[in-house]
Amino acid sequence: MSPSPRSWSRAGAALRGWRSRQWTVAGLGALATAVLVGAPTDVVPNPLFGRSVPVQWWNYPALVVTAALAGIVLSTYVRQPSPPGTAPARAGSRLGAAGGVLSFFAVGCPVCNKLVLVLLGASGAMSYWAPLQPLLAVLSVGLLAEAALRRLSLQAVCPVTASA
């Protein structure tokens, strides 16, 4: 029987076993995510992008949590020494990607999103899309957390060698 794809204790054990290389990748991944999501949405102020609707208070914690979780998920892809014949864990890879994309839509300006404007118009974006954005942020964080939990859980599982 294969182990469950998620376990808080195994995920914690995996994090405790990380070396400086994994933590460095996690930090750099979090910083890159904060810039890649925060700059175009103007949550991170910059001269290249602007927004028509002011940044909401919840955009900042959503961006910070998203960036931290994305950094952790990214760091689980750092190659670690493993016995010959073992296969890398793939659980959670789609969840992490979906969570990252959702975070962009969650913290973005509701009327600056061209797709939303085409589908709903400016008043629809403010009336219907803007109230959904905090829910998208929660869903994004949930998907990233689940991806991190699954990937970290499988890092702490004893490897199964491929049969010849």
Side-chain angles (χ1 to χ4, degrees), residues 40-51:
T41 59
D42 205 34
V43 174
V44 175
N46 65 84
L48 299 175
F49 299 98
R51 57 189 289 153

Side-chain angles (χ1 to χ4, degrees), residues 1-72:
M1 184 168 134
S2 67
S4 168
R6 56 194 313 266
S7 164
W8 288 101
S9 60
R10 285 197 313 264
L15 283 174
R16 286 188 297 277
W18 274 12
R19 297 192 172 111
S20 62
R21 182 175 177 199
Q22 282 93 6
W23 287 113
T24 301
V25 170
L28 291 173
L31 182 62
T33 301
V35 170
L36 289 173
V37 173
T41 59
D42 205 34
V43 174
V44 175
N46 65 84
L48 299 175
F49 299 98
R51 57 189 289 153
S52 304
V53 176
V55 175
Q56 302 296 307
W57 69 268
W58 58 267
N59 291 153
Y60 298 108
L63 180 61
V64 168
V65 173
T66 294
L69 287 170
I72 289 171

